[in-house]
Amino acid sequence: MENGATEVNSLTEQISNLETQEPKHNALQESSHDVVVTRVDDDPILSVTTFEDLKLNENLLKGIYEMGFTKPSKIQAKALPLLIKTPPQNMIGQSQSGTGKTAAFVLTMLSRIDFDLKSLQALCLAPSRELARQIMVEVLKMAKYTPVMTAEAIRESNVKSYTTGKSRNEEFAEAQLIVGTPGTVYDLFRRRIINKNTIKIFVLDEADNMLDQQSLGDQSIKIKNMMPKDCQIVLFSATYSREVRSFAERFAPNANQFSLKVEELSVKTISQFYMDCKNEQHKFQVLDDLYTLLTIGQSIIFVQKRDTADIIARRMTENGHKVINLHGGLSANERDHVMDGFRRGDAKVLITTNVLSRGIDVLQVNLVINYDLPTDATGKPDFETYLHRIGRTGRFGRTGVSINFVHDANSWEVVKSIEQHFQREIIKIEIIFPFNNIC
Ligand SMILES: Nc1ncnc2c1ncn2[C@@H]1O[C@H](COP(=O)(O)OP(=O)(O)OP(=O)(O)O)[C@@H](O)[C@H]1O
């Protein structure tokens, strides 16, 4: 019992400490993780140490500095010189979650655009509307001092834009840079609302997910097949399974590649724990108790199914916790409303499904709970989703905590396989009083 108490105290301390911790930028920028670089030529281009070294347009630099980016992260320093060089080369990029991949490809897109040419030149696809919107926010910040015309291609009613008074179709027709989800973008091409002929750069964020045939692969391939022949193809993700990487190599031929070994994929500043619950019902009790006992900054609770998200959101609310809930069953407006509230910090606890497992960047999130462990349709561990989910905390050198709920032999096996796969210990937290006495 004493041991358990110590562990929960130490967990409490860890989570409370996180609230006051500043990001360890230097730790991130000087991280010892060895990226394996495979180059398509032997130009002596090395990594840069400052954004000035990239010889970017002054107005882009101004935007970057206004965002508070003083120097490039490791992936930015290594990838940007290759991404922006002429003639353009394809890229298959990999780096850990929260290390600044977005800025690397956004800066590349903006650096390729001729602002005098009033046609679509850069296209970026992401797997969820929340991620597409987030990428657009980064585009708008970085491009603040440029005249770039942009449009977001996500599912929405066809209304006039509040900011410009133009209809969405007019905005699409004028856009030089579009960020969107594959279904909506494909539809815009099909209806000839956007024109592919002048596209110079095509980016897939969360590329392994976008190329996965079980997921968004079909749509991404259809769109890729429409791209002009000399279009630069840029793929970024924190994870590529072996099969997806070989498909990516065909999708983006002759690409410069950045890859990480599997044991280097998990971010060291994210502590990983598991709690051994008695059964499915006990999981809710443990969750309820955790939120009663601990002072937690912002956190995300992941479940496998929309129904579970609805049920635990309702029960947590009934028990007096302030939580919000986001999944694919909500309308576009509801999703935007929930996400915006979470980003503003109006709500501290977000319950969600895998729809938000990738890319979402809310720096204040210091705890991720895997209420249901990520598994595929057959119950086998989904390693990539696990890494993306826990990567919603510990962003850009910050520290974070992840807790996995285990409740039966299968979920125990899943946790053990994940631990073995990434070669990173997942530490047990004893469930102590009041947890034991309540159930
Ligand atoms: N050079 C920089 N200096 C300071 N902050 C940065 C820099 N580059 C990126 N960031 C910040 O780091 C955070 C994480 O970046 P980003 O979301 O691009 O990570 P990512 O590598 O795409 O992660 P994921 O794999 O989860 O999608 C963001 O808040 C971003 O604004």
PDB file of all heavy atoms in Angstrom, residues 25 29 51 67-73 76 95-103 134 138 205-206 238 358-361 363 388 391-392 395-396, ligand 1:
ATOM      1  N   HIS A  25      13.694  23.991 -25.103  1.00  0.00           N
ATOM      2  CA  HIS A  25      13.986  24.132 -26.536  1.00  0.00           C
ATOM      3  C   HIS A  25      15.352  23.575 -26.898  1.00  0.00           C
ATOM      4  O   HIS A  25      15.509  22.889 -27.872  1.00  0.00           O
ATOM      5  CB  HIS A  25      13.949  25.609 -26.947  1.00  0.00           C
ATOM      6  CG  HIS A  25      12.552  26.099 -27.084  1.00  0.00           C
ATOM      7  ND1 HIS A  25      12.110  26.834 -28.146  1.00  0.00           N
ATOM      8  CD2 HIS A  25      11.489  25.929 -26.281  1.00  0.00           C
ATOM      9  CE1 HIS A  25      10.829  27.110 -27.981  1.00  0.00           C
ATOM     10  NE2 HIS A  25      10.439  26.577 -26.860  1.00  0.00           N
ATOM     11  N   GLN A  29      16.413  20.966 -29.695  1.00  0.00           N
ATOM     12  CA  GLN A  29      17.219  21.319 -30.859  1.00  0.00           C
ATOM     13  C   GLN A  29      18.531  20.545 -30.903  1.00  0.00           C
ATOM     14  O   GLN A  29      19.090  20.298 -31.946  1.00  0.00           O
ATOM     15  CB  GLN A  29      17.452  22.836 -30.892  1.00  0.00           C
ATOM     16  CG  GLN A  29      16.250  23.515 -31.542  1.00  0.00           C
ATOM     17  CD  GLN A  29      15.950  24.880 -30.956  1.00  0.00           C
ATOM     18  OE1 GLN A  29      16.504  25.273 -29.936  1.00  0.00           O
ATOM     19  NE2 GLN A  29      15.070  25.607 -31.612  1.00  0.00           N
ATOM     20  N   PHE A  51      17.471  30.818 -39.364  1.00  0.00           N
ATOM     21  CA  PHE A  51      16.522  30.947 -40.473  1.00  0.00           C
ATOM     22  C   PHE A  51      17.100  31.853 -41.569  1.00  0.00           C
ATOM     23  O   PHE A  51      16.805  31.686 -42.742  1.00  0.00           O
ATOM     24  CB  PHE A  51      15.178  31.484 -39.970  1.00  0.00           C
ATOM     25  CG  PHE A  51      14.351  30.451 -39.249  1.00  0.00           C
ATOM     26  CD1 PHE A  51      14.109  30.548 -37.888  1.00  0.00           C
ATOM     27  CD2 PHE A  51      13.810  29.370 -39.931  1.00  0.00           C
ATOM     28  CE1 PHE A  51      13.351  29.598 -37.218  1.00  0.00           C
ATOM     29  CE2 PHE A  51      13.042  28.401 -39.275  1.00  0.00           C
ATOM     30  CZ  PHE A  51      12.820  28.520 -37.912  1.00  0.00           C
ATOM     31  N   MET A  67       6.376  34.804 -34.834  1.00  0.00           N
ATOM     32  CA  MET A  67       5.812  33.607 -34.199  1.00  0.00           C
ATOM     33  C   MET A  67       6.638  33.170 -32.992  1.00  0.00           C
ATOM     34  O   MET A  67       6.290  32.208 -32.315  1.00  0.00           O
ATOM     35  CB  MET A  67       5.766  32.449 -35.211  1.00  0.00           C
ATOM     36  CG  MET A  67       4.756  32.643 -36.305  1.00  0.00           C
ATOM     37  SD  MET A  67       4.988  31.418 -37.619  1.00  0.00           S
ATOM     38  CE  MET A  67       4.094  30.019 -36.934  1.00  0.00           C
ATOM     39  N   GLY A  68       7.756  33.826 -32.787  1.00  0.00           N
ATOM     40  CA  GLY A  68       8.611  33.477 -31.638  1.00  0.00           C
ATOM     41  C   GLY A  68       9.613  32.374 -31.962  1.00  0.00           C
ATOM     42  O   GLY A  68      10.233  31.817 -31.067  1.00  0.00           O
ATOM     43  N   PHE A  69       9.764  32.040 -33.250  1.00  0.00           N
ATOM     44  CA  PHE A  69      10.731  31.013 -33.633  1.00  0.00           C
ATOM     45  C   PHE A  69      12.099  31.681 -33.767  1.00  0.00           C
ATOM     46  O   PHE A  69      12.346  32.394 -34.742  1.00  0.00           O
ATOM     47  CB  PHE A  69      10.364  30.368 -34.981  1.00  0.00           C
ATOM     48  CG  PHE A  69       9.089  29.558 -34.981  1.00  0.00           C
ATOM     49  CD1 PHE A  69       8.246  29.520 -33.880  1.00  0.00           C
ATOM     50  CD2 PHE A  69       8.741  28.810 -36.103  1.00  0.00           C
ATOM     51  CE1 PHE A  69       7.077  28.766 -33.899  1.00  0.00           C
ATOM     52  CE2 PHE A  69       7.580  28.055 -36.123  1.00  0.00           C
ATOM     53  CZ  PHE A  69       6.742  28.036 -35.028  1.00  0.00           C
ATOM     54  N   THR A  70      12.969  31.464 -32.817  1.00  0.00           N
ATOM     55  CA  THR A  70      14.269  32.139 -32.892  1.00  0.00           C
ATOM     56  C   THR A  70      15.271  31.364 -33.742  1.00  0.00           C
ATOM     57  O   THR A  70      16.085  31.933 -34.430  1.00  0.00           O
ATOM     58  CB  THR A  70      14.859  32.381 -31.489  1.00  0.00           C
ATOM     59  OG1 THR A  70      14.769  31.148 -30.776  1.00  0.00           O
ATOM     60  CG2 THR A  70      14.091  33.455 -30.738  1.00  0.00           C
ATOM     61  N   LYS A  71      15.195  30.034 -33.648  1.00  0.00           N
ATOM     62  CA  LYS A  71      16.068  29.245 -34.532  1.00  0.00           C
ATOM     63  C   LYS A  71      15.384  27.953 -34.952  1.00  0.00           C
ATOM     64  O   LYS A  71      14.426  27.506 -34.303  1.00  0.00           O
ATOM     65  CB  LYS A  71      17.424  29.000 -33.887  1.00  0.00           C
ATOM     66  CG  LYS A  71      17.412  28.189 -32.619  1.00  0.00           C
ATOM     67  CD  LYS A  71      18.865  27.962 -32.193  1.00  0.00           C
ATOM     68  CE  LYS A  71      18.953  26.924 -31.110  1.00  0.00           C
ATOM     69  NZ  LYS A  71      20.278  26.398 -30.905  1.00  0.00           N
ATOM     70  N   PRO A  72      15.852  27.369 -36.048  1.00  0.00           N
ATOM     71  CA  PRO A  72      15.168  26.159 -36.536  1.00  0.00           C
ATOM     72  C   PRO A  72      15.333  24.983 -35.591  1.00  0.00           C
ATOM     73  O   PRO A  72      16.375  24.846 -34.949  1.00  0.00           O
ATOM     74  CB  PRO A  72      15.871  25.851 -37.867  1.00  0.00           C
ATOM     75  CG  PRO A  72      16.785  26.984 -38.154  1.00  0.00           C
ATOM     76  CD  PRO A  72      17.002  27.749 -36.899  1.00  0.00           C
ATOM     77  N   SER A  73      14.310  24.132 -35.505  1.00  0.00           N
ATOM     78  CA  SER A  73      14.445  22.874 -34.773  1.00  0.00           C
ATOM     79  C   SER A  73      15.335  21.961 -35.617  1.00  0.00           C
ATOM     80  O   SER A  73      15.668  22.277 -36.766  1.00  0.00           O
ATOM     81  CB  SER A  73      13.072  22.224 -34.578  1.00  0.00           C
ATOM     82  OG  SER A  73      12.563  21.797 -35.820  1.00  0.00           O
ATOM     83  N   GLN A  76      13.844  21.004 -38.951  1.00  0.00           N
ATOM     84  CA  GLN A  76      13.794  22.184 -39.831  1.00  0.00           C
ATOM     85  C   GLN A  76      15.201  22.503 -40.357  1.00  0.00           C
ATOM     86  O   GLN A  76      15.384  22.778 -41.550  1.00  0.00           O
ATOM     87  CB  GLN A  76      13.228  23.386 -39.072  1.00  0.00           C
ATOM     88  CG  GLN A  76      11.753  23.233 -38.726  1.00  0.00           C
ATOM     89  CD  GLN A  76      11.283  24.171 -37.619  1.00  0.00           C
ATOM     90  OE1 GLN A  76      12.034  24.979 -37.088  1.00  0.00           O
ATOM     91  NE2 GLN A  76      10.012  24.040 -37.257  1.00  0.00           N
ATOM     92  N   SER A  95      10.133  12.827 -38.354  1.00  0.00           N
ATOM     93  CA  SER A  95      10.744  13.215 -37.075  1.00  0.00           C
ATOM     94  C   SER A  95       9.682  13.056 -36.003  1.00  0.00           C
ATOM     95  O   SER A  95       8.482  12.985 -36.305  1.00  0.00           O
ATOM     96  CB  SER A  95      11.307  14.635 -37.117  1.00  0.00           C
ATOM     97  OG  SER A  95      10.298  15.585 -36.958  1.00  0.00           O
ATOM     98  N   GLN A  96      10.128  13.019 -34.751  1.00  0.00           N
ATOM     99  CA  GLN A  96       9.216  12.720 -33.641  1.00  0.00           C
ATOM    100  C   GLN A  96       8.069  13.720 -33.578  1.00  0.00           C
ATOM    101  O   GLN A  96       8.184  14.838 -34.097  1.00  0.00           O
ATOM    102  CB  GLN A  96       9.978  12.778 -32.331  1.00  0.00           C
ATOM    103  CG  GLN A  96      11.035  11.724 -32.198  1.00  0.00           C
ATOM    104  CD  GLN A  96      11.897  12.018 -30.989  1.00  0.00           C
ATOM    105  OE1 GLN A  96      12.271  13.155 -30.748  1.00  0.00           O
ATOM    106  NE2 GLN A  96      12.184  10.997 -30.226  1.00  0.00           N
ATOM    107  N   SER A  97       7.008  13.353 -32.860  1.00  0.00           N
ATOM    108  CA  SER A  97       5.863  14.258 -32.722  1.00  0.00           C
ATOM    109  C   SER A  97       6.302  15.543 -32.015  1.00  0.00           C
ATOM    110  O   SER A  97       7.171  15.513 -31.138  1.00  0.00           O
ATOM    111  CB  SER A  97       4.741  13.576 -31.948  1.00  0.00           C
ATOM    112  OG  SER A  97       5.217  13.106 -30.722  1.00  0.00           O
ATOM    113  N   GLY A  98       5.710  16.642 -32.448  1.00  0.00           N
ATOM    114  CA  GLY A  98       5.957  17.930 -31.786  1.00  0.00           C
ATOM    115  C   GLY A  98       7.309  18.548 -32.040  1.00  0.00           C
ATOM    116  O   GLY A  98       7.767  19.379 -31.255  1.00  0.00           O
ATOM    117  N   THR A  99       7.970  18.180 -33.138  1.00  0.00           N
ATOM    118  CA  THR A  99       9.318  18.712 -33.377  1.00  0.00           C
ATOM    119  C   THR A  99       9.358  19.778 -34.478  1.00  0.00           C
ATOM    120  O   THR A  99      10.434  20.180 -34.911  1.00  0.00           O
ATOM    121  CB  THR A  99      10.309  17.568 -33.719  1.00  0.00           C
ATOM    122  OG1 THR A  99       9.732  16.780 -34.773  1.00  0.00           O
ATOM    123  CG2 THR A  99      10.582  16.686 -32.522  1.00  0.00           C
ATOM    124  N   GLY A 100       8.182  20.195 -34.955  1.00  0.00           N
ATOM    125  CA  GLY A 100       8.165  21.321 -35.893  1.00  0.00           C
ATOM    126  C   GLY A 100       8.142  20.956 -37.365  1.00  0.00           C
ATOM    127  O   GLY A 100       8.633  21.713 -38.207  1.00  0.00           O
ATOM    128  N   LYS A 101       7.510  19.826 -37.701  1.00  0.00           N
ATOM    129  CA  LYS A 101       7.428  19.437 -39.108  1.00  0.00           C
ATOM    130  C   LYS A 101       6.538  20.411 -39.891  1.00  0.00           C
ATOM    131  O   LYS A 101       6.798  20.717 -41.043  1.00  0.00           O
ATOM    132  CB  LYS A 101       6.877  18.000 -39.231  1.00  0.00           C
ATOM    133  CG  LYS A 101       7.837  16.952 -38.664  1.00  0.00           C
ATOM    134  CD  LYS A 101       7.349  15.540 -38.884  1.00  0.00           C
ATOM    135  CE  LYS A 101       6.234  15.107 -37.958  1.00  0.00           C
ATOM    136  NZ  LYS A 101       6.585  15.049 -36.531  1.00  0.00           N
ATOM    137  N   THR A 102       5.470  20.892 -39.228  1.00  0.00           N
ATOM    138  CA  THR A 102       4.526  21.776 -39.927  1.00  0.00           C
ATOM    139  C   THR A 102       5.241  23.011 -40.483  1.00  0.00           C
ATOM    140  O   THR A 102       5.087  23.344 -41.658  1.00  0.00           O
ATOM    141  CB  THR A 102       3.406  22.240 -38.963  1.00  0.00           C
ATOM    142  OG1 THR A 102       2.972  21.117 -38.223  1.00  0.00           O
ATOM    143  CG2 THR A 102       2.254  22.874 -39.705  1.00  0.00           C
ATOM    144  N   ALA A 103       6.020  23.660 -39.632  1.00  0.00           N
ATOM    145  CA  ALA A 103       6.706  24.873 -40.103  1.00  0.00           C
ATOM    146  C   ALA A 103       7.627  24.540 -41.271  1.00  0.00           C
ATOM    147  O   ALA A 103       7.783  25.343 -42.191  1.00  0.00           O
ATOM    148  CB  ALA A 103       7.490  25.500 -38.962  1.00  0.00           C
ATOM    149  N   GLN A 134      -5.671  23.833 -38.280  1.00  0.00           N
ATOM    150  CA  GLN A 134      -4.477  24.199 -37.505  1.00  0.00           C
ATOM    151  C   GLN A 134      -3.315  24.569 -38.436  1.00  0.00           C
ATOM    152  O   GLN A 134      -2.584  25.525 -38.191  1.00  0.00           O
ATOM    153  CB  GLN A 134      -4.094  23.018 -36.612  1.00  0.00           C
ATOM    154  CG  GLN A 134      -2.836  23.226 -35.800  1.00  0.00           C
ATOM    155  CD  GLN A 134      -2.517  21.989 -34.974  1.00  0.00           C
ATOM    156  OE1 GLN A 134      -3.275  21.636 -34.076  1.00  0.00           O
ATOM    157  NE2 GLN A 134      -1.413  21.322 -35.266  1.00  0.00           N
ATOM    158  N   GLU A 138      -1.143  28.217 -38.994  1.00  0.00           N
ATOM    159  CA  GLU A 138       0.318  28.376 -39.084  1.00  0.00           C
ATOM    160  C   GLU A 138       0.694  29.083 -40.399  1.00  0.00           C
ATOM    161  O   GLU A 138       1.570  29.939 -40.415  1.00  0.00           O
ATOM    162  CB  GLU A 138       0.997  26.997 -38.980  1.00  0.00           C
ATOM    163  CG  GLU A 138       2.496  27.086 -38.797  1.00  0.00           C
ATOM    164  CD  GLU A 138       3.041  26.272 -37.623  1.00  0.00           C
ATOM    165  OE1 GLU A 138       2.283  25.922 -36.702  1.00  0.00           O
ATOM    166  OE2 GLU A 138       4.259  25.995 -37.632  1.00  0.00           O
ATOM    167  N   ASP A 205       0.551  15.901 -45.058  1.00  0.00           N
ATOM    168  CA  ASP A 205       0.931  15.829 -43.650  1.00  0.00           C
ATOM    169  C   ASP A 205       0.343  14.528 -43.107  1.00  0.00           C
ATOM    170  O   ASP A 205      -0.674  14.045 -43.608  1.00  0.00           O
ATOM    171  CB  ASP A 205       0.363  17.045 -42.889  1.00  0.00           C
ATOM    172  CG  ASP A 205       0.952  17.144 -41.483  1.00  0.00           C
ATOM    173  OD1 ASP A 205       1.996  16.500 -41.228  1.00  0.00           O
ATOM    174  OD2 ASP A 205       0.385  17.863 -40.649  1.00  0.00           O
ATOM    175  N   GLU A 206       0.967  13.954 -42.091  1.00  0.00           N
ATOM    176  CA  GLU A 206       0.565  12.635 -41.577  1.00  0.00           C
ATOM    177  C   GLU A 206       0.519  11.652 -42.758  1.00  0.00           C
ATOM    178  O   GLU A 206      -0.450  10.911 -42.957  1.00  0.00           O
ATOM    179  CB  GLU A 206      -0.805  12.700 -40.877  1.00  0.00           C
ATOM    180  CG  GLU A 206      -0.923  13.755 -39.803  1.00  0.00           C
ATOM    181  CD  GLU A 206       0.085  13.577 -38.661  1.00  0.00           C
ATOM    182  OE1 GLU A 206       0.601  12.465 -38.486  1.00  0.00           O
ATOM    183  OE2 GLU A 206       0.363  14.579 -37.974  1.00  0.00           O
ATOM    184  N   ALA A 238       5.443  11.405 -38.279  1.00  0.00           N
ATOM    185  CA  ALA A 238       6.325  10.889 -37.222  1.00  0.00           C
ATOM    186  C   ALA A 238       6.515   9.383 -37.387  1.00  0.00           C
ATOM    187  O   ALA A 238       7.448   8.802 -36.829  1.00  0.00           O
ATOM    188  CB  ALA A 238       5.718  11.193 -35.851  1.00  0.00           C
ATOM    189  N   ARG A 358      -3.781  12.587 -34.371  1.00  0.00           N
ATOM    190  CA  ARG A 358      -2.612  13.032 -35.126  1.00  0.00           C
ATOM    191  C   ARG A 358      -2.534  14.553 -35.277  1.00  0.00           C
ATOM    192  O   ARG A 358      -3.544  15.199 -35.596  1.00  0.00           O
ATOM    193  CB  ARG A 358      -2.636  12.426 -36.527  1.00  0.00           C
ATOM    194  CG  ARG A 358      -2.232  10.963 -36.538  1.00  0.00           C
ATOM    195  CD  ARG A 358      -2.516  10.349 -37.873  1.00  0.00           C
ATOM    196  NE  ARG A 358      -1.999   8.986 -37.940  1.00  0.00           N
ATOM    197  CZ  ARG A 358      -0.836   8.658 -38.505  1.00  0.00           C
ATOM    198  NH1 ARG A 358      -0.063   9.579 -39.044  1.00  0.00           N
ATOM    199  NH2 ARG A 358      -0.457   7.398 -38.534  1.00  0.00           N
ATOM    200  N   GLY A 359      -1.351  15.056 -35.040  1.00  0.00           N
ATOM    201  CA  GLY A 359      -1.014  16.426 -35.432  1.00  0.00           C
ATOM    202  C   GLY A 359      -1.492  17.542 -34.523  1.00  0.00           C
ATOM    203  O   GLY A 359      -0.906  18.618 -34.527  1.00  0.00           O
ATOM    204  N   ILE A 360      -2.556  17.306 -33.760  1.00  0.00           N
ATOM    205  CA  ILE A 360      -3.143  18.409 -32.991  1.00  0.00           C
ATOM    206  C   ILE A 360      -2.129  18.940 -31.977  1.00  0.00           C
ATOM    207  O   ILE A 360      -1.533  18.196 -31.210  1.00  0.00           O
ATOM    208  CB  ILE A 360      -4.453  17.944 -32.301  1.00  0.00           C
ATOM    209  CG1 ILE A 360      -5.484  17.575 -33.359  1.00  0.00           C
ATOM    210  CG2 ILE A 360      -4.988  19.003 -31.355  1.00  0.00           C
ATOM    211  CD1 ILE A 360      -5.810  18.664 -34.368  1.00  0.00           C
ATOM    212  N   ASP A 361      -1.954  20.239 -32.003  1.00  0.00           N
ATOM    213  CA  ASP A 361      -0.897  20.882 -31.213  1.00  0.00           C
ATOM    214  C   ASP A 361      -1.525  21.872 -30.237  1.00  0.00           C
ATOM    215  O   ASP A 361      -1.873  22.977 -30.617  1.00  0.00           O
ATOM    216  CB  ASP A 361       0.035  21.610 -32.202  1.00  0.00           C
ATOM    217  CG  ASP A 361       1.201  22.300 -31.528  1.00  0.00           C
ATOM    218  OD1 ASP A 361       2.011  21.604 -30.898  1.00  0.00           O
ATOM    219  OD2 ASP A 361       1.292  23.540 -31.617  1.00  0.00           O
ATOM    220  N   LEU A 363      -0.305  23.258 -26.762  1.00  0.00           N
ATOM    221  CA  LEU A 363       0.902  23.156 -25.937  1.00  0.00           C
ATOM    222  C   LEU A 363       0.607  22.883 -24.467  1.00  0.00           C
ATOM    223  O   LEU A 363       1.417  22.306 -23.754  1.00  0.00           O
ATOM    224  CB  LEU A 363       1.737  24.433 -26.073  1.00  0.00           C
ATOM    225  CG  LEU A 363       2.227  24.745 -27.499  1.00  0.00           C
ATOM    226  CD1 LEU A 363       2.980  26.065 -27.532  1.00  0.00           C
ATOM    227  CD2 LEU A 363       3.109  23.622 -28.028  1.00  0.00           C
ATOM    228  N   HIS A 388       1.270   8.570 -31.936  1.00  0.00           N
ATOM    229  CA  HIS A 388       0.649   9.866 -32.267  1.00  0.00           C
ATOM    230  C   HIS A 388      -0.206  10.348 -31.096  1.00  0.00           C
ATOM    231  O   HIS A 388      -0.188  11.519 -30.757  1.00  0.00           O
ATOM    232  CB  HIS A 388      -0.185   9.759 -33.535  1.00  0.00           C
ATOM    233  CG  HIS A 388       0.664   9.649 -34.772  1.00  0.00           C
ATOM    234  ND1 HIS A 388       1.229  10.739 -35.384  1.00  0.00           N
ATOM    235  CD2 HIS A 388       1.075   8.576 -35.478  1.00  0.00           C
ATOM    236  CE1 HIS A 388       1.940  10.339 -36.432  1.00  0.00           C
ATOM    237  NE2 HIS A 388       1.857   9.027 -36.516  1.00  0.00           N
ATOM    238  N   GLY A 391       1.811  11.628 -28.324  1.00  0.00           N
ATOM    239  CA  GLY A 391       2.512  12.815 -28.828  1.00  0.00           C
ATOM    240  C   GLY A 391       1.672  14.082 -28.793  1.00  0.00           C
ATOM    241  O   GLY A 391       2.137  15.150 -29.165  1.00  0.00           O
ATOM    242  N   ARG A 392       0.414  13.995 -28.312  1.00  0.00           N
ATOM    243  CA  ARG A 392      -0.379  15.231 -28.144  1.00  0.00           C
ATOM    244  C   ARG A 392       0.114  15.993 -26.923  1.00  0.00           C
ATOM    245  O   ARG A 392      -0.244  17.142 -26.709  1.00  0.00           O
ATOM    246  CB  ARG A 392      -1.888  14.938 -27.989  1.00  0.00           C
ATOM    247  CG  ARG A 392      -2.609  14.312 -29.159  1.00  0.00           C
ATOM    248  CD  ARG A 392      -2.236  14.903 -30.482  1.00  0.00           C
ATOM    249  NE  ARG A 392      -1.221  14.114 -31.157  1.00  0.00           N
ATOM    250  CZ  ARG A 392      -0.243  14.618 -31.922  1.00  0.00           C
ATOM    251  NH1 ARG A 392      -0.112  15.906 -32.088  1.00  0.00           N
ATOM    252  NH2 ARG A 392       0.633  13.835 -32.505  1.00  0.00           N
ATOM    253  N   ARG A 395       5.027  18.554 -26.288  1.00  0.00           N
ATOM    254  CA  ARG A 395       5.294  19.187 -27.584  1.00  0.00           C
ATOM    255  C   ARG A 395       6.516  20.090 -27.514  1.00  0.00           C
ATOM    256  O   ARG A 395       6.712  20.836 -26.575  1.00  0.00           O
ATOM    257  CB  ARG A 395       4.078  20.036 -28.029  1.00  0.00           C
ATOM    258  CG  ARG A 395       2.741  19.359 -27.915  1.00  0.00           C
ATOM    259  CD  ARG A 395       2.420  18.417 -29.006  1.00  0.00           C
ATOM    260  NE  ARG A 395       2.380  18.991 -30.324  1.00  0.00           N
ATOM    261  CZ  ARG A 395       2.494  18.268 -31.437  1.00  0.00           C
ATOM    262  NH1 ARG A 395       2.654  16.958 -31.355  1.00  0.00           N
ATOM    263  NH2 ARG A 395       2.440  18.842 -32.618  1.00  0.00           N
ATOM    264  N   PHE A 396       7.309  20.034 -28.516  1.00  0.00           N
ATOM    265  CA  PHE A 396       8.473  20.904 -28.723  1.00  0.00           C
ATOM    266  C   PHE A 396       9.306  21.072 -27.442  1.00  0.00           C
ATOM    267  O   PHE A 396       9.505  22.179 -26.950  1.00  0.00           O
ATOM    268  CB  PHE A 396       8.026  22.266 -29.267  1.00  0.00           C
ATOM    269  CG  PHE A 396       9.099  22.883 -30.144  1.00  0.00           C
ATOM    270  CD1 PHE A 396       9.358  22.374 -31.405  1.00  0.00           C
ATOM    271  CD2 PHE A 396       9.875  23.933 -29.692  1.00  0.00           C
ATOM    272  CE1 PHE A 396      10.357  22.911 -32.215  1.00  0.00           C
ATOM    273  CE2 PHE A 396      10.884  24.476 -30.488  1.00  0.00           C
ATOM    274  CZ  PHE A 396      11.118  23.969 -31.749  1.00  0.00           C
TER     275      PHE A 396
HETATM  276  N1  LIG B   1      11.663  26.737 -34.678  1.00  0.00           N
HETATM  277  C1  LIG B   1      10.730  26.752 -33.755  1.00  0.00           C
HETATM  278  N2  LIG B   1      10.883  27.486 -32.627  1.00  0.00           N
HETATM  279  C2  LIG B   1       9.913  27.464 -31.658  1.00  0.00           C
HETATM  280  N3  LIG B   1       8.758  26.756 -31.722  1.00  0.00           N
HETATM  281  C3  LIG B   1       8.569  26.011 -32.837  1.00  0.00           C
HETATM  282  C4  LIG B   1       9.531  25.975 -33.897  1.00  0.00           C
HETATM  283  N4  LIG B   1       9.049  25.143 -34.840  1.00  0.00           N
HETATM  284  C5  LIG B   1       7.851  24.703 -34.400  1.00  0.00           C
HETATM  285  N5  LIG B   1       7.565  25.213 -33.195  1.00  0.00           N
HETATM  286  C6  LIG B   1       6.350  24.937 -32.379  1.00  0.00           C
HETATM  287  O1  LIG B   1       6.450  23.584 -31.943  1.00  0.00           O
HETATM  288  C7  LIG B   1       5.157  23.014 -31.808  1.00  0.00           C
HETATM  289  C8  LIG B   1       5.098  21.655 -32.481  1.00  0.00           C
HETATM  290  O2  LIG B   1       5.266  21.807 -33.876  1.00  0.00           O
HETATM  291  P1  LIG B   1       4.444  20.945 -34.954  1.00  0.00           P
HETATM  292  O3  LIG B   1       2.993  20.950 -34.603  1.00  0.00           O
HETATM  293  O4  LIG B   1       4.857  21.416 -36.285  1.00  0.00           O
HETATM  294  O5  LIG B   1       5.043  19.502 -34.671  1.00  0.00           O
HETATM  295  P2  LIG B   1       4.993  18.213 -35.611  1.00  0.00           P
HETATM  296  O6  LIG B   1       6.394  17.748 -35.748  1.00  0.00           O
HETATM  297  O7  LIG B   1       4.227  18.498 -36.852  1.00  0.00           O
HETATM  298  O8  LIG B   1       4.205  17.206 -34.671  1.00  0.00           O
HETATM  299  P3  LIG B   1       3.200  15.980 -35.023  1.00  0.00           P
HETATM  300  O9  LIG B   1       4.073  14.836 -35.449  1.00  0.00           O
HETATM  301  O10 LIG B   1       2.505  15.708 -33.738  1.00  0.00           O
HETATM  302  O11 LIG B   1       2.285  16.448 -36.105  1.00  0.00           O
HETATM  303  C9  LIG B   1       4.183  24.028 -32.404  1.00  0.00           C
HETATM  304  O12 LIG B   1       3.537  24.705 -31.333  1.00  0.00           O
HETATM  305  C10 LIG B   1       5.065  24.968 -33.190  1.00  0.00           C
HETATM  306  O13 LIG B   1       4.524  26.270 -33.258  1.00  0.00           O
END
